């Protein structure tokens, strides 16, 4: 640094002398022009164009830059120099008396290369400028104070392995902040410090190239080199910067694959399913990525048709799978010749091939105890629904596939034949019927037949047997629904009143064909006729007019239906036709429905429910009438005072009004006088009276108790009766003071008990209901005997 400061001072002195010489030359030139009488613009007395100063001055004193001087300055101190512009007062200062300019801060060209300043001379006395303000430039001269830098380092580069000499790896550029137009401070030269002999760098361009042929990734994959950039053209004293370049060799397919073994041993159970994996093999390749991907194939061997090989998802392993079912008894071992080959070849390295390898795989089939096998995978059988019980309709057979060939026993899986329609012979496998078959009930039977080895019951084979029941014409055709037609009183002859259709659960091959006609007994029916439409429907037409509800309100027409299959099935259905009053458009207004004819569509349960309701209503009416005629007023003692204390007692079953008695609570307060109050029962005395009069009262032997012999205390009376009942070994454990064992008499309806109702087998007669008046007319019609003249059915 001391040498640099000395050099800088010498340079500054030289620049000062040059500036002063330039000032003197300009002054002389100005005097010559004045003497020649030339009229020109008055110029300032000092001359400057620009000042030069070196950067990075580190001296202790301010750095002298230059001097400003005016020709008007006589040296008497009347001139004042003023400096303004970039850095004036902060970076640069001026002696206002002498005009000397100094730098008071260290200057850095890389921060600011030049400063634009303005100078002016003032008269101290008048405080006015002597000349116009002028500009000048202070340029900062560069020194080599910045080393080259690699702004993007460290660098990463990749090249294929086995690259030739001269292959470009990467292009590097170092930047130097020094002035490239001044000297050699920014002229950079590149060199390699680490990485020989594998790589080199061009000194001027910075291009890194391969300098060694045959670099193998499988031997070494990564390289790290150091590149240097030096300024001053690489000369001694220049500044230098370095960077690291990490170079990776990428893979090429230059290595063939190879199996680890020449022979592989594998085994598989004979029960393994098709598609099951037997094992896997791999031809190893030193390459990686797509260059190591393999394709496997079976090129020879006796197992080419039984096994298959494919590549797994990594494209590295060969997966051997079963292509066809195995059978130890048929073939116990197989041999496979398998080839593994690269899928992506590099033609530059074909001379290092072949890029494939071959190995042998020996597969052994292991024997297991297999279940019996049926001769067919499934059975389909057709059986007529009229087949007799015990008919053998199919014989199934199974065998033990193992070498032992054990005996087989047959059975039907219970869950597949819940109705137990079929039976199979345990030794022969003959299937037969044990129940009558009905196609209309169940048209298909899907059963499972089991075959079990005698020596190993766990080995069970099964097969599905589908039994189709063939149809036989064994069901007569019937009307599709209950038909009830009507005919208007105004109907004319030949008028359509109903269309009838039939249904047959049978299913003939040619479809259903029904034939309709009137039953033989109604063939000459004067009122209606039937027309068969030959399309499985028929029309019911009137034969006459003049219908009247008063003459006859209901007609019954028997219809004969037959099918067209053999054996022919027939049926007769009755159509009910009612005569109704209709309006002019033929809409029914009213029909005379007879009360005693219940609709035929009512079910048995509904009919029983209706009869039960009617019976209950009848019993209630009879009971109400009986109670109304025999009602008596109960005896009340002090009715107004004790109406809320009455206890009403009812016998188990009604015996008339005498079964109900009102007891006065006063009897409980004075039990000795209970026999004097109320009305006595005709057939038995009140129990409370007998107890209070004839049974002596006992003393309760409980602690703290008292004898209540003549006391009227209710609590004592009740307790004494309770104790008496507890001590009586013959008395039942009644919870009440009253016991009832009598079924009363005196009611008009007599006893309602059903205990003795089974003693008579005769039907009840209800003819007496006709004498009960109009209110019971409906019951009399339902249960009484009506003498009516039944009209003809058709």
């Amino acid at each position: 640094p001391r040498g640099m400061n000395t050099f800088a001072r010498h340079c500054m002195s030289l620049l000062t002398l040059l500036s002063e010489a330039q000032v003197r030359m300009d002054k002389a030139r100005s005097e010559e022009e004045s003497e020649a009488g030339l009229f020109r613009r008055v110029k300032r007395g000092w001359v400057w164009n620009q000042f030069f100063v070196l950067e990075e001055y580190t001296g202790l004193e301010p750095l002298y830059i230059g001097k400003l001087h005016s020709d008007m300055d006589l040296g008497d101190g009347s001139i004042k120099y003023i400096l303004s512009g970039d850095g004036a007062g902060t970076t640069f200062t001026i002696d206002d008396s002498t005009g000397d300019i100094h730098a008071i801060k260290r200057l850095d060209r890389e921060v600011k290369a030049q400063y634009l300043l303005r100078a002016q001379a003032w008269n101290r006395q008048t405080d006015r400028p002597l000349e116009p303000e002028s500009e000048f430039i202070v340029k900062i001269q560069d020194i080599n104070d910045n080393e080259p830098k690699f702004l993007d380092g460290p660098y990463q580069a990749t090249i294929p392995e086995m690259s030739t000499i001269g292959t470009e790896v990467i292009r590097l550029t170092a930047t130097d902040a020094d002035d490239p137009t001044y000297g050699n401070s920014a002229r950079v030269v590149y060199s390699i410090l680490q990485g020989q002999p594998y790589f080199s760098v061009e000194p001027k361009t910075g291009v890194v190239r391969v300098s060694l042929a045959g670099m193998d990734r499988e031997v070494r994959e990564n390289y790290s080199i150091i590149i240097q950039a030096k300024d001053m053209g690489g000369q001694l004293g220049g500044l230098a910067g370095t960077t690291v370049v990490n170079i990776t060799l990428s893979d090429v397919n230059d290595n063939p694959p190879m199996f680890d073994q020449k022979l592989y041993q594998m085994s598989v159970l004979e029960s393994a399913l098709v598609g099951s994996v037997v094992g896997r093999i791999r031809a190893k390749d030193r390459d990686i990525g797509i260059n190591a991907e393999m394709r496997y194939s079976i090129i020879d061997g006796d197992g080419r048709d039984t096994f298959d090989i494919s590549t797994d998802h990594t494209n590295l392993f060969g997966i051997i799978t079963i292509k066809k079912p195995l059978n130890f008894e048929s073939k116990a071992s197989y041999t496979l010749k398998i080839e593994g080959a690269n899928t992506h070849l590099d033609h530059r390295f074909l001379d290092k091939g072949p890029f494939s390898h071959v190995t042998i795989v020996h597969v052994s089939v292991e024997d297991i105890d297999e279940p019996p096998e049926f001769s067919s995978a499934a059975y389909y059988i057709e059986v007529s629904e009229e087949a007799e019980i015990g008919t053998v309709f199919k014989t199934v057979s199974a065998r033990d596939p193992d070498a032992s060939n054990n005996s087989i026993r047959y059975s039907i899986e219970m869950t597949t034949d819940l109705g137990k329609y079929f039976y199979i012979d345990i030794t022969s496998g003959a299937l037969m019927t044990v129940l009558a078959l009905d196609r209309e009930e169940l048209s298909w039977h899907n059963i499972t037949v089991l075959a079990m080895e005698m020596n190993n019951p766990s080995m069970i084979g099964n097969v599905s047997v589908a039994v189709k029941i063939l149809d036989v014409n064994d069901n007569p055709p019937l009307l599709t629904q209950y038909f009830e037609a009507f005919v208007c009183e105004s109907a004319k002859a030949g008028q359509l009143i109903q269309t009838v259709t039939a249904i047959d659960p049978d299913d003939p091959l040619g479809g259903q064909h029904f034939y309709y006609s009137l039953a033989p007994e109604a063939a000459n029916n004067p009122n209606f006729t039937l027309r068969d439409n030959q399309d499985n429907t028929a029309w019911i037409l009137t034969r006459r007019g003049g219908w009247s509800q008063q003459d006859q309100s209901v007609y019954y027409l028997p219809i004969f239906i037959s099918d067209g299959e053999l054996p022919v099935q027939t049926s007769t259905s009755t159509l009910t036709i009612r005569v109704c009053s209709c309006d002019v458009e033929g809409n029914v207004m009213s029909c005379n429905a007879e009360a005693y004819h219940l609709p035929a569509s009512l079910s048995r349960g509904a009919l029983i429910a209706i009869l039960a309701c009617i019976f209950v209503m009848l019993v209630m009416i009879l009971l109400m009438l009986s109670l109304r005629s025999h009602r008596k007023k109960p005896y009340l003692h002090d009715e107004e005072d004790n109406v809320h204390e009455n206890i009403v007692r009812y016998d188990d079953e009604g015996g008339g009004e005498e079964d109900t008695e009102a007891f006065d609570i006063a009897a409980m307060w004075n039990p000795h006088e209970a026999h004097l109050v109320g009305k006595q029962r005709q057939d038995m005395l009140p129990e409370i009276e007998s107890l209070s009069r004839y049974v002596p009262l006992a003393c309760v032997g409980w602690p703290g108790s008292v004898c209540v012999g003549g006391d009227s205390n209710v609590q004592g009376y009740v307790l004494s009766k309770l104790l008496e009942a507890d001590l009586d070994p013959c008395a039942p454990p009644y919870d009440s003071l009253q016991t009832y064992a009598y079924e009363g008499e005196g009611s008009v309806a007599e006893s309602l008990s059903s205990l003795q109702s089974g003693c008579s087998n005769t039907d009840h007669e209800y003819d007496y209901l006709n004498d009960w008046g109009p209110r019971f007319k409906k019951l009399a019609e339902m249960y009484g005997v009506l003498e009516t003249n039944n009209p003809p059915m058709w």
Side-chain angles (χ1 to χ4, degrees):
R2 180 176 301 175
M4 291 295 294
N5 293 336
T6 303
F7 176 74
R9 282 196 296 271
H10 286 288
C11 291
M12 296 305 300
S13 298
L14 180 61
L15 290 174
T16 303
L17 292 175
L18 290 175
S19 300
E20 292 177 353
Q22 182 67 32
V23 170
R24 288 194 294 270
M25 291 176 63
D26 291 341
K27 184 176 181 180
R29 188 181 297 110
S30 176
E31 291 176 352
E32 292 176 358
E33 290 176 354
S34 299
E35 294 176 355
L38 297 176
F39 295 96
R40 295 185 180 182
R41 179 175 63 83
V42 178
K43 298 180 66 177
R44 61 182 178 272
W46 65 87
V47 177
W48 65 79
N49 187 5
Q50 55 187 358
F51 290 103
F52 296 92
V53 60
L54 290 176
E55 64 173 336
E56 302 294 344
Y57 171 72
T58 59
L60 299 177
E61 297 179 357
L63 178 64
Y64 180 76
I65 295 178
K67 183 180 181 63
L68 299 180
H69 182 74
S70 174
D71 56 358
M72 296 181 182
D73 187 359
L74 301 178
D76 56 1
S78 61
I79 302 299
K80 179 182 179 181
Y81 295 98
I82 299 175
L83 185 66
S84 62
D86 293 341
T90 58
T91 304
F92 303 99
T93 61
I94 188 170
D95 188 338
D96 60 355
S97 297
T98 63
D100 292 334
I101 302 173
H102 292 82
I104 59 176
K105 286 185 177 181
R106 189 175 68 175
L107 302 177
D108 189 353
R109 189 200 67 84
E110 286 73 39
V111 176
K112 191 172 180 65
Q114 65 180 17
Y115 295 86
L116 179 62
L117 297 172
R118 295 184 296 276
Q120 197 170 27
W122 286 65
N123 191 323
R124 292 181 183 271
Q125 296 178 356
T126 62
D127 197 23
R128 298 184 65 182
L130 298 178
E131 292 182 1
E133 187 179 55
S134 298
E135 294 182 348
F136 67 95
I137 297 174
V138 177
K139 285 191 175 183
I140 310 302
Q141 287 185 325
D142 181 54
I143 65 173
N144 188 20
D145 59 342
N146 292 278
E147 73 277 5
K149 295 182 178 180
F150 294 93
L151 301 181
D152 298 327
Y155 297 88
Q156 303 289 335
T158 302
I159 60 170
E161 62 175 331
M162 299 296 176
S163 296
T164 58
I165 296 176
T167 302
E168 181 177 335
V169 179
I170 191 173
R171 182 180 295 268
L172 304 178
T173 301
T175 58
D176 195 322
D178 294 326
D179 188 359
T181 62
Y182 181 77
N184 294 327
S185 297
R187 190 163 67 90
V188 178
V189 174
Y190 300 93
S191 62
I192 182 169
L193 301 182
Q194 176 182 312
Q196 293 122 342
Y198 306 103
F199 301 96
S200 62
V201 63
E202 294 181 357
K204 295 183 178 180
T205 62
V207 175
V208 179
R209 298 184 182 276
V210 175
S211 60
L212 181 64
M215 287 189 293
D216 192 352
R217 184 201 65 82
E218 288 74 34
V219 176
R220 182 178 178 182
E221 183 176 3
N222 298 307
Y223 296 84
S224 181
I225 66 174
I226 298 176
I227 302 297
Q228 181 190 68
K230 189 174 184 180
D231 58 11
M232 300 298 292
Q235 298 178 3
L236 184 65
L239 303 178
T242 61
T243 188
V244 175
V245 181
N246 295 313
I247 302 174
T248 301
L249 299 183
S250 61
D251 186 62
V252 298
N253 192 7
D254 58 339
N255 294 280
M258 183 171 293
F259 288 102
D260 290 338
Q261 301 173 214
K262 293 183 178 180
L263 176 64
Y264 291 87
Q265 294 285 348
M266 298 181 182
S267 62
V268 61
L269 295 176
E270 65 172 332
S271 60
L273 301 177
V274 173
S276 300
V277 175
V278 178
R280 67 178 190 170
I281 59 176
R282 179 184 180 182
K284 293 184 178 180
D285 194 326
R286 297 179 63 194
D287 298 321
I288 60 175
I290 62 173
N291 297 316
E293 292 182 359
M294 305 295 298
R295 180 183 64 253
Y296 297 92
S297 59
I298 301 176
I299 59 177
D300 200 1
D302 57 1
R304 296 179 61 181
D305 297 333
T306 307
F307 298 93
D308 197 3
I309 190 169
S310 60
T311 307
D312 71 340
H313 66 282
T314 64
N315 294 322
L316 298 177
F317 294 90
I319 309 299
I320 301 175
T321 56
I322 300 174
K323 188 176 181 180
K324 290 183 178 180
L326 304 176
N327 192 332
F328 173 82
E329 289 72 27
S330 300
K331 189 171 179 60
S333 64
Y334 296 87
T335 300
L336 304 174
K337 187 176 183 180
I338 298 178
E339 179 189 57
N342 284 139
T343 56
H344 298 83
L345 300 179
D346 194 331
H347 297 284
R348 297 174 299 174
F349 307 102
L350 292 180
D351 57 337
K352 295 185 177 183
F355 288 86
S356 63
H357 199 226
V358 176
T359 188
I360 303 298
V361 177
H362 184 268
V363 181
S364 298
V365 181
E366 297 183 1
D367 185 30
I368 63 169
D369 192 1
E370 299 174 88
E373 296 179 354
F374 284 88
S375 58
S376 178
Y379 293 92
Y380 169 78
I381 306 168
E382 294 181 348
V383 180
S384 175
E385 65 176 326
E386 63 179 0
E388 297 182 358
I389 296 176
T391 301
V392 176
F393 55 87
K394 183 66 177 180
T395 298
V396 298
S397 62
R399 67 175 187 86
D400 183 5
D402 299 318
S404 58
N405 194 18
N406 293 322
S407 299
I408 305 299
R409 294 295 180 263
Y410 301 94
S411 62
I412 297 177
E413 188 175 354
M414 296 179 58
T415 58
T416 61
D417 186 23
L418 297 177
K420 300 185 182 304
Y421 288 93
F422 305 101
Y423 170 79
I424 188 170
D425 187 80
I426 191 172
T427 57
S428 66
L431 281 167
M432 64 188 68
T433 60
V434 293
L435 292 178
L437 304 177
D438 189 354
R439 189 202 66 84
E440 288 71 36
E441 178 182 349
L442 192 59
S443 59
W444 281 90
H445 295 268
N446 295 305
I447 62 175
T448 300
V449 175
L450 306 178
M452 180 184 68
E453 292 184 12
M454 282 291 295
N455 296 338
N456 188 0
S458 62
M459 291 292 102
I460 300 176
N462 63 82
V463 69
S464 296
V465 179
V467 182
K468 181 180 180 181
I469 309 302
L470 300 179
D471 184 46
V472 174
N473 189 27
D474 56 349
N475 293 278
L478 301 172
L479 292 180
T480 55
Q481 59 183 353
Y482 172 77
F483 289 102
E484 184 175 85
F486 70 90
V487 60
C488 295
E489 291 181 320
S490 59
K492 306 298 182 183
Q495 183 172 332
L496 174 64
I497 63 173
Q498 183 66 51
T499 300
V500 295
T501 58
I503 188 173
D504 191 338
D506 294 322
D507 187 17
L509 296 177
Q512 300 285 1
H513 298 283
F514 301 128
Y515 303 95
Y516 301 87
S517 64
L518 293 179
E521 61 270 21
N524 297 324
N525 190 330
N527 301 313
F528 304 99
T529 185
L530 182 143
R531 178 185 300 174
D532 192 341
N533 297 322
Q534 302 299 320
D535 59 356
N536 290 340
T537 65
W539 287 353
I540 306 300
L541 306 173
T542 59
R543 276 192 171 183
R544 64 177 179 86
W547 305 92
S548 175
Q549 292 184 10
Q550 296 181 354
D551 296 340
Q552 186 170 342
S553 61
V554 179
Y555 294 87
Y556 301 98
L557 188 65
I559 300 175
F560 180 80
I561 311 170
S562 65
D563 55 23
E565 297 295 321
L566 294 177
V568 177
Q569 300 291 335
T570 63
S571 67
T572 301
S573 300
T574 301
L575 177 66
T576 302
I577 304 174
R578 298 185 180 277
V579 180
C580 301
S581 298
C582 305
D583 57 15
V584 294
E585 296 179 356
N587 298 321
V588 175
M589 297 176 60
S590 65
C591 296
N592 184 18
E594 299 184 10
Y596 56 89
H597 288 292
L598 295 176
S601 61
L602 288 177
S603 64
R604 181 178 301 175
L607 182 59
I608 293 174
I610 293 174
L611 294 177
C613 292
I614 294 173
F615 178 75
V616 172
M617 291 175 60
L618 180 60
V619 171
M620 292 178 63
I621 292 172
L622 294 176
L623 183 58
M624 291 173 60
L625 292 176
S626 175
L627 292 176
R628 180 179 298 178
S629 60
H630 294 83
R631 182 176 301 163
K632 295 182 181 181
K633 296 182 179 180
Y635 176 79
L636 294 177
H637 177 74
D638 197 2
E639 180 178 0
E640 294 180 356
D641 296 336
N642 299 308
V643 66
H644 60 284
E645 297 178 344
N646 290 345
I647 298 176
V648 180
R649 185 187 68 179
Y650 299 95
D651 281 339
D652 288 343
E653 294 190 38
E657 293 181 356
E658 293 180 358
D659 285 349
T660 303
E661 297 183 24
F663 290 90
D664 193 342
I665 197 64
M668 300 294 290
W669 293 103
N670 190 9
H672 295 285
E673 300 298 331
H675 65 283
L676 301 176
V677 181
K679 180 183 177 181
Q680 295 185 358
R681 178 87 176 254
Q682 296 179 2
D683 53 342
M684 65 179 293
L685 294 178
E687 185 180 0
I688 188 171
E689 178 179 350
S690 62
L691 288 174
S692 62
R693 176 177 298 181
Y694 299 107
V695 178
L697 301 181
C699 292
V700 181
W702 297 333
S705 63
V706 296
C707 294
V708 293
D711 195 354
S712 61
N713 186 292
V714 176
Q715 181 181 7
Y717 175 78
V718 174
L719 292 177
S720 65
K721 295 291 103 180
L722 191 60
L723 178 60
E724 179 185 354
D726 291 340
L727 297 177
D728 188 358
C730 299
Y734 294 116
D735 294 334
S736 167
L737 292 177
Q738 299 291 327
T739 59
Y740 308 99
Y742 173 75
E743 186 171 3
E745 296 180 355
S747 174
V748 176
E750 298 182 348
S751 174
L752 298 180
S753 173
S754 60
L755 296 177
Q756 299 179 355
S757 60
C759 61
S760 177
N761 295 326
T762 60
D763 296 334
H764 293 286
E765 294 183 359
Y766 300 96
D767 294 343
Y768 57 87
L769 295 175
N770 295 318
D771 302 329
W772 283 18
R775 294 185 178 180
F776 297 89
K777 180 179 180 180
K778 182 62 65 177
L779 290 175
E781 293 177 354
M782 295 178 63
Y783 294 93
V785 179
L786 297 179
E787 295 181 0
T788 58
N789 296 325
N790 294 329
M793 295 184 62
W794 53 81

